[in-house]
Structure formats: C-alpha cells, structure tokens
Amino acid sequence: MKILVVGSGGREHALAWAIAKSPRIQTVYVAPGNGGTALDERLQNIAITDPVALADFVEQEHVALTVVGPEGPLAAGIVNVFRARGLKIFGPTREAAQLESSKDFAKAFMQRHAIPTAEYQTFSDVAAAHDYIALKGAPIVIKADGLAAGKGVVVAMTLEEAHTAVDMMLSDNKLGDAGARVVIEEFLAGEEASFIVMVDGKNILPLATSQDHKRLQDHDQGPNTGGMGAYAPAPLLDAEGLEEVRRIVLEPTLKALRQRGIDYRGVIYAGLMITADGPQVIEFNCRFGDPECQTLMPLLGPELGAVLQACALGRLDLAPQLSIAERCSACVVAAAEGYPEAPRKGDAIRIDLAPSPNHQLFHAGTRRDSSGELLTAGGRVLAVVAQGDDFDAAFAGAYNGLNQLDYAGITYRRDIGHQVRSGG
Ligand code: AMP
Ligand code: GLY
C-alpha cells in the first residue's frame, strides 16, 4: 500500500516515519517534504503542492490514502477536491476546518452547542472593540479571527495592551485579512493541556494528552512561536478528567457537526484550559499539533496507517486496535537564530546522533542542496524526541540528543517539561 503525507514540517516527518513502520506500507510519499524525509529511504519526497496536481498524482500512482498535516491545505479545501474525485483522504473539509480557520466560527459553534468556552464577542469595528474592552476590563484576550501562524492571539494583562492589540489588528491591518475581525474574550485562569483524538464522523478514538510550550524563551518569555517543545501524556488530565472532556466537549462537538451535515474525518485537537470550574475550550485545531504530533507518534504502534485509513473510510469501528505505549515522551525543538520573526537560513547542519529505539530526530526546516549537504531552511529546524519510563529519563534523552546536533545560531529552550521534571 502507498500513502501520501501532505506537508513539510516536523509533524509530517513524524507522521510519515510512524506510518512507514508497518510492513504492509510500500512507500510513503511526502509532498513536498524536507531534508529529513529526503534522507529516509522508506520515504519519498514529491515536489507538488497544488491540490489538483496532488489528486492527479494519487490517481496515477494508486495511492490508497492521503493524510494532510497542516491547516493551510485543509482551510484551502484539499479534502473537498479529493472527496469530489472519490479519493481517500484523512482530514476535514474546508467547511469543517473553519473550527480552526475562523475563531468567530468556532466560538459561535461552541456557544450554540453549549460547549464550555470563555465568554466573547466578535468585532470588525475599531471603536466598538475599544468600548467593549473598556467595559470588560483587563486581563482580556484579543484574537484575530483568521489563521495567523501563532501570532494572532494577544493575552493582554493591561488595558493598554488590549487597546494596542485591537489597533494592531483592526486599524493597522498588521495581520492582513486574518485580523480584519477580532474575537475578544474573557481571560481564563488555569493550566493548559491538549487532547488529541481521531474522529471518523461517528466514532471518537482518543490518542493522547500533551502539553506544548509556545513561547520562544525559557520561563515562558519572548514571542509566541509554533511550539518549542512538548511532552506527552499531560498528567494534568487523569482518566476522570479525560472522560469529562469527552462527555462535555468532544461528544457534543461531533454530534453538532453531524447535525450540520458535516462528516468530519480527521483529527480534533482540543486546546483546553483546566479552570477551577472545569475544562474550557481555548481553541480547536483540525489537525495534529506540531510539535505535539512529533511527541506522540513514537508512542503509537505499527497499526497507525491502517487506523488512519479506516478513519478516512468512516469506519474506525473496523480498525485494528491502535497500541499506545504507556511511556513518557519528550520533544525539544531546535530553531534557527531569528525565529520566529526572521529566521536565518542556509547554515550547514552537523548531526552526530546515533540511531536508537529510544529517540528520534525529526526534521522541519531543513533541505539538501545539490551536493547532498544538509542546510537549515526554516524557523524550526530539527527536533529530538525521546521516550523513557518517566519524564526525567525522557527529557535527559531529548537533551542529550540535542547536544549531538549543531549549526550556526542553534536556538532552543532548556526548560521544556519543567512542569513534569524533578527540580523543574
Ligand atoms: P490559541 O491560539 O487560541 O490557542 O491561543 C494561544 C494561547 O493564548 C493559548 O495557548 C493560551 O496560552 C492563551 N490563551 C488563549 N485564550 C485564552 C484565554 N481565554 N484565557 C487565557 N489565555 C488564553
Ligand atoms: N503546537 C501548537 C499547534 O500546533 O497549534
């Protein structure tokens, strides 16, 4: 069987690597892939990104399943294109992907279906937005409606920050169309965790809880990024907490999607704030998180490809049991100097990390030049993921691994997992 993974980041490298574990899988294509997927002989990069051209490729090569990594192609409707041609694809349609691509859509959806989330209002008028902030006071949270690559959320601790954020998005158009409307919502106090599940339109398959680290620097300082590291599972949610999230968030979400005629087949990633009043949804993502996916994939058994396929067919009930190792997994991202604003690129990468079943090296912003040399080519460059019987062992593995890598300007956090490491 051949499978195609769409995307070029660490998430897609990890997905392709995990899918390729099954002896039933002949080739995993990655479109367009990166320097790491180019190096792995079981994976094959293809230089296509246009959805229609990808659908043509899948037909010609008899690819059994396409798995979409990032939100961009989902929001652009790649699933609509594939489904219209009868091709099997894992991911939600453009309409369903609005759960992630429009904060206003997601908030209205949650409010209508009584899914717990912060109180909010949506504005495109600057003066009205300022008035609302004055009425509600700080702290308060300002969110661009559209996709803004992690830059669209301002948690304003003061009124001044809140007003500045509104001006930045609505008056100065710093985020373009994504910030032409803003959601202004109540600040939630608590601890964050995410819960990632697969859904096939009817059934829910829980995968794992995890915690990522969005800020660039240690002690959660500096700008927001796509994610500088993660760990799984997140001990904040015990079995009872997970059951509650399933009952009050995931089941009502799936039911509401069905009522709207949306046959959602793919990932639902619920970003949660665990407050004194119980879990509240901060955001939905309609795909695996990155780096959460890199953290999770090494825990999954070789049935993954078959399970993804069953999910895309709407038949998770017929899928083989997906084994999930009861171990701790830790991921630390190595970024480029200047990330996230203006990452430097083109530096030679040295890798001395020996392969081991207890750690993995996933590539994100890397490429091979014409002579085969590996160069930095993006903001998040590489990630080391390691597993252990506890988080201390897992993080020791990840940081040891990181010490075996080098390139000019290598940048990473030293405190990933401080919540779960002893002395952290
Ligand atoms: P989002 O892109 O919606 O996940 O927001 C990015 C980050 O902003 C989250 O991971 C939280 O740390 C923070 N955040 C978002 N919404 C809220 C809220 N209502 N209260 C407190 N923090 C929030
Ligand atoms: N790591 C957060 C995300 O993928 O949205």
Side-chain angles (χ1 to χ4, degrees):
M1 185 162 71
K2 298 174 179 177
I3 294 191
L4 167 66
V5 173
V6 177
S8 64
R11 164 182 46 212
E12 289 75 29
H13 189 182
L15 270 168
W17 168 88
I19 291 168
K21 275 188 198 168
S22 162
R24 290 182 50 227
I25 312 276
Q26 195 185 330
T27 308
V28 183
Y29 297 105
V30 191
N34 59 39
T37 51
L39 281 169
D40 187 330
E41 61 202 18
R42 292 159 316 154
L43 312 181
Q44 195 176 320
N45 285 355
I46 55 168
I48 307 177
T49 49
D50 173 66
V52 174
L54 281 172
D56 292 342
F57 175 85
V58 158
E59 273 174 2
Q60 277 154 23
E61 295 298 322
H62 306 287
V63 173
L65 173 70
T66 298
V67 179
V68 186
E71 60 277 20
L74 294 170
I78 188 173
V79 173
N80 303 60
V81 171
F82 273 59
R83 281 199 188 172
R85 290 169 64 163
L87 301 172
K88 297 287 168 285
I89 186 160
F90 178 87
T93 58
R94 183 197 295 119
E95 295 70 34
Q98 288 180 91
L99 269 186
E100 172 167 0
S101 64
S102 167
K103 299 270 189 206
D104 175 56
F105 177 92
K107 294 295 287 190
F109 179 95
M110 287 189 266
Q111 196 172 55
R112 184 164 331 122
H113 301 290
I115 294 158
T117 192
E119 189 201 330
Y120 83 106
Q121 274 195 37
T122 301
F123 298 92
S124 48
D125 181 73
V126 192
H130 284 304
D131 288 349
Y132 185 73
I133 290 169
L135 179 75
K136 291 289 173 184
I140 193 160
V141 183
I142 322 294
K143 300 186 174 185
D145 174 53
L147 293 176
K151 294 186 193 136
V153 176
V154 176
V155 180
M157 299 315 287
T158 64
L159 281 175
E160 194 189 338
E161 282 174 81
H163 289 299
T164 306
V166 161
D167 284 336
M168 181 270 282
M169 293 181 201
L170 288 182
S171 305
D172 305 339
N173 292 324
K174 286 275 166 57
L175 302 178
D177 281 351
R181 284 198 300 172
V182 298
V183 163
I184 304 187
E185 72 177 33
E186 171 199 0
F187 172 84
L188 298 172
E191 289 209 66
E192 285 180 61
S194 351
F195 192 19
I196 299 179
V197 302
M198 265 187 219
V199 300
D200 69 351
K202 303 174 285 293
N203 306 291
I204 299 173
L205 174 65
L207 291 179
T209 56
S210 57
Q211 169 74 60
D212 82 342
H213 297 61
K214 290 204 171 71
R215 299 294 197 100
L216 179 69
Q217 291 153 10
D218 286 0
H219 311 297
D220 290 329
Q221 301 296 307
N224 264 325
T225 71
M228 294 298 291
Y231 58 85
L236 194 59
L237 278 171
D238 56 12
E240 207 178 313
L242 286 178
E243 195 40 49
E244 186 183 17
V245 174
R246 186 180 177 122
R247 185 168 47 78
I248 67 176
V249 174
L250 295 165
E251 280 168 4
T253 299
L254 193 52
K255 187 165 158 223
L257 286 166
R258 264 208 314 275
Q259 279 167 0
R260 290 182 173 217
I262 294 177
D263 185 8
Y264 192 112
R265 300 181 188 177
V267 166
I268 294 183
Y269 168 126
L272 305 163
M273 188 71 84
I274 313 303
T275 72
D277 302 328
Q280 304 260 336
V281 178
I282 302 178
E283 63 164 350
F284 283 123
N285 290 324
C286 58
R287 36 94 197 159
F288 287 105
D290 192 4
E292 294 89 326
C293 180
Q294 302 187 55
T295 319
L296 171 60
M297 287 301 136
L299 298 177
L300 302 182
E303 315 81 18
L304 177 66
V307 173
L308 289 165
Q309 197 179 25
C311 187
L313 289 167
R315 295 311 303 260
L316 269 178
D317 53 329
L318 300 182
Q321 171 91 26
L322 179 61
S323 59
I324 305 179
E326 287 188 14
R327 301 188 82 199
C328 295
S329 187
C331 169
V332 183
V333 170
E337 189 180 305
Y339 175 71
E341 289 301 322
R344 67 181 263 173
K345 296 180 184 166
D347 293 303
I349 300 173
R350 186 180 57 76
I351 298 174
D352 294 328
L353 185 63
S356 151
N358 289 319
H359 66 228
Q360 304 78 36
L361 176 66
F362 294 127
H363 293 232
T366 71
R367 68 179 177 89
R368 292 179 79 190
D369 70 6
S370 50
S371 66
E373 190 177 12
L374 194 64
L375 302 175
T376 64
R380 291 188 287 180
V381 177
L382 296 162
V384 182
V385 187
Q387 295 75 44
D389 292 334
D390 57 35
F391 280 115
D392 282 342
F395 276 102
Y399 278 104
N400 279 336
L402 216 61
N403 286 332
Q404 325 291 314
L405 314 174
D406 203 19
Y407 51 85
I410 188 169
T411 301
Y412 57 89
R413 278 180 64 160
R414 324 261 149 177
D415 70 340
I416 303 297
H418 60 86
Q419 301 94 326
V420 290
R421 283 152 71 185
S422 51

